[in-house]
Amino acid sequence: MKILIVEDDFRIAEMYKEYLLKNAPEDEIHIALNAAESLKTIQNHDINLMLVDIYLPDMHGDKLIENVLKQYPYMNFIVVTASQESEKVKNAMQLGALYYLVKPVKLDKLSETVNDYKKKNVTLSKSIELEQDDIDMYFGRIGTPAVNSLPKGIDPLTLKKIEEVFSNQHEWTSSQLGEHLGTSRTTVRRYLEYMRELGKLTVSQDFGDKGRPEKKYKKNLS
């Protein structure tokens, strides 16, 4: 993927670039210190994603996005800025920005956001038709439980990780999944039972090689 970081502070831009490449060395990342430089970079490279600050020396970032979209209507944007003005947030949303991250942004949060976009992009490119859950995920995970509504002991990041595991392999026992994730069987079972209560999993008994009964959790595809 080709990414353009539009950030007037060179040190911050280099920090973003270094961290993103650490997690995805296959990406090609460019830096522009102002709007004019970013437009030249787009002309010379097939950029897929732009990380844009709002406060640039020659043009506000939302205006830059507006200008870029006139020439490149399918460009994707993530806003990374110190601006928390409601008007700027509203403008970014109306221009189709994928995310709006407020500085100082944690590097792992930035990387997670970029990777989330990449995952969604891969899903769209591989699938001819999508299930409603996949569409909801692309448009902001509409209908999934809010963080504050999760019961005690259920961490949203761990829950997301387990859901992703079931997307690749539809059936697991708690011991198999615990070993796969590097966590305890008891912890994994808590999440599996929660997903079962939501109707995402069905359960059957597996007696295994030693004849010991163990619950087998299977993703509900219906």
Side-chain angles (χ1 to χ4, degrees):
M1 175 168 290
K2 296 183 180 181
I3 301 172
L4 174 59
I5 300 171
V6 189
E7 165 63 58
D8 65 323
D9 189 321
F10 182 76
R11 294 168 300 176
I12 293 177
E14 282 290 339
M15 182 173 62
Y16 291 167
K17 177 179 179 179
E18 182 180 346
Y19 193 85
L20 291 174
L21 286 176
K22 179 182 177 182
N23 291 278
E26 71 278 4
D27 286 343
E28 178 182 315
I29 301 181
H30 301 267
I31 291 175
L33 301 179
N34 53 57
E37 191 176 333
S38 71
L39 293 172
K40 291 180 181 178
T41 304
I42 295 172
Q43 290 175 356
N44 296 325
H45 302 276
D46 188 18
I47 300 298
N48 308 112
L49 176 67
M50 294 178 65
L51 310 184
V52 182
D53 191 6
I54 290 293
Y55 297 124
L56 300 172
D58 54 346
M59 182 186 298
H60 276 197
D62 49 353
K63 186 65 176 178
L64 170 61
I65 293 174
E66 186 177 345
N67 289 346
V68 170
L69 287 173
K70 291 177 182 178
Q71 300 180 61
Y72 307 92
Y74 298 107
M75 182 66 72
N76 294 293
F77 301 90
I78 294 175
V79 175
V80 187
T81 181
S83 174
Q84 294 178 263
E85 301 172 48
S86 60
E87 190 65 25
K88 293 299 182 184
V89 176
K90 179 181 177 181
N91 287 348
M93 181 179 66
Q94 291 177 336
L95 289 169
L98 301 171
Y99 306 91
Y100 194 105
L101 302 178
V102 177
K103 292 180 179 178
V105 61
K106 294 182 179 179
L107 293 177
D108 57 349
K109 175 65 175 179
L110 178 66
S111 179
E112 179 186 339
T113 303
V114 172
N115 288 335
D116 186 54
Y117 160 73
K118 290 163 70 174
K119 286 179 184 178
K120 291 174 180 177
N121 208 38
V122 168
T123 300
L124 288 178
S125 63
K126 285 185 177 180
S127 304
I128 297 176
E129 293 186 356
L130 298 173
E131 298 294 332
Q132 183 65 59
D133 286 347
D134 297 321
I135 297 171
D136 289 345
M137 181 183 72
Y138 191 81
F139 283 96
R141 290 187 171 274
I142 300 169
T144 56
V147 173
N148 293 334
S149 70
L150 293 175
K152 185 177 180 180
I154 301 295
D155 174 71
L157 294 179
T158 303
L159 179 61
K160 181 180 179 181
K161 185 183 296 185
I162 292 177
E163 289 175 338
E164 289 174 349
V165 169
F166 271 95
S167 296
N168 298 322
Q169 181 176 322
H170 296 330
E171 194 171 77
W172 295 85
T173 63
S174 57
S175 57
Q176 290 171 339
L177 188 54
E179 184 177 351
H180 178 77
L181 296 175
T183 189
S184 72
R185 176 179 174 180
T186 302
T187 298
V188 167
R189 189 187 297 116
R190 180 166 66 248
Y191 286 85
L192 293 174
E193 284 298 318
Y194 174 67
M195 292 173 67
R196 181 187 62 80
E197 291 173 3
L198 293 178
K200 294 183 177 182
L201 303 176
T202 55
V203 182
S204 61
Q205 288 286 354
D206 180 21
F207 289 90
D209 297 333
K210 299 180 181 180
R212 296 177 180 175
E214 185 175 6
K215 290 181 178 181
K216 182 181 289 184
Y217 296 83
K218 185 175 182 180
K219 183 177 181 181
N220 191 346
L221 300 178
S222 61

